[in-house]
Amino acid sequence: MYSHRSYRIKHTDQSILHWLCVFWLALLLNGCTTSIDDYEHTEPKFELFQFFEGSTQAWGMVQDYKGQQVRRFDVKLNGVITGDQLVLTEDFVFDDNETQQRIWTITKQANGRYLGIADDVIGEAVGYEKGNALYWQYALAMEINGSTYHINFEDWMFYQNNNKLFNQAKMKKWGITVGTVTLFFQK
């Protein structure tokens, strides 16, 4: 015979099991997140100002949320250091001949921390450098199909050697990855 009470217990047990699974999955995924501290002892050490002082060449691509390449670009960079500040001018040329310029003013803080501003950055970019890595977080005002969106960037730079640097940035909106930017820098 079917009892209404036994259904409630089963339903409650399923609900508890569901939430326990969600909780453990969240813990597992959080445990998989990379931290800048994971790179503290990696070699060779990355020095942001030293790498970007003077002329640097870069090239890269933008991929959408499915991983499909949607744009390619070349970048010429020029960095000038004055005290604890690096002014980094980036001149982009995209595969459709669109050009953009971004001028970063990056200020060195204590303990491998950096703050950066640029005209299209919302507020300040915050960066952390340890070992061969630099992690940036910032929001960028991006024009897409005639509308401006604020896209959050989680930007990782990995120093290869004296002449090469790899960069991968995840673009997020409402916490969801909407694209990826990959760059390769060479002195």
Side-chain angles (χ1 to χ4, degrees):
M1 178 169 203
Y2 179 77
S3 157
H4 180 46
R5 185 169 189 224
S6 66
Y7 172 75
R8 288 181 117 178
I9 292 171
K10 280 186 172 182
H11 180 70
T12 302
D13 289 345
Q14 287 177 344
S15 182
I16 291 170
L17 181 60
H18 168 79
W19 287 110
L20 281 173
C21 287
V22 169
F23 173 75
W24 285 109
L25 181 60
L27 283 178
L28 178 65
L29 291 175
N30 189 41
C32 294
T33 302
T34 301
S35 164
I36 191 65
D37 293 331
D38 295 339
Y39 295 95
E40 187 164 3
H41 301 292
T42 57
E43 294 287 338
K45 299 291 183 201
F46 180 44
E47 299 281 340
L48 178 72
F49 280 25
Q50 183 179 344
F51 186 85
F52 284 110
E53 183 175 28
S55 297
T56 307
Q57 180 76 27
W59 57 98
M61 67 177 173
V62 180
Q63 294 170 279
D64 66 13
Y65 69 97
K66 298 179 287 186
Q68 182 176 356
Q69 184 186 67
V70 293
R71 293 191 95 179
R72 296 180 312 278
F73 56 89
D74 291 323
V75 190
K76 290 188 181 192
L77 301 97
N78 187 56
V80 176
I81 298 171
T82 306
D84 286 341
Q85 282 196 335
L86 166 67
V87 175
L88 185 63
T89 302
E90 302 174 320
D91 289 306
F92 293 83
V93 178
F94 289 88
D95 55 340
D96 61 0
N97 293 321
E98 178 188 353
T99 60
Q100 289 181 9
Q101 184 180 71
R102 179 173 299 114
I103 300 174
W104 284 96
T105 301
I106 301 169
T107 305
K108 188 182 288 192
Q109 308 289 303
N111 300 321
R113 188 168 181 253
Y114 295 90
L115 296 176
I117 57 172
D119 285 344
D120 54 353
V121 171
I122 309 305
E124 287 183 316
V126 179
Y128 305 93
E129 179 181 75
K130 286 199 179 178
N132 75 327
L134 176 79
Y135 176 65
W136 276 110
Q137 287 182 304
Y138 55 94
L140 193 65
M142 296 180 66
E143 187 175 319
I144 302 169
N145 297 327
S147 296
T148 301
Y149 296 92
H150 294 180
I151 305 295
N152 295 313
F153 277 71
E154 292 181 3
D155 202 338
W156 283 94
M157 293 182 173
F158 298 100
Y159 184 55
Q160 177 69 14
N161 59 36
N162 292 336
N163 297 319
K164 296 180 185 83
L165 179 69
F166 306 112
N167 184 187
Q168 186 172 56
K170 289 187 179 178
M171 300 182 297
K172 295 187 174 189
K173 185 70 177 168
W174 302 299
I176 298 168
T177 300
V178 295
T180 304
V181 178
T182 304
L183 289 116
F184 301 96
F185 296 89
Q186 186 165 3
K187 290 296 281 176

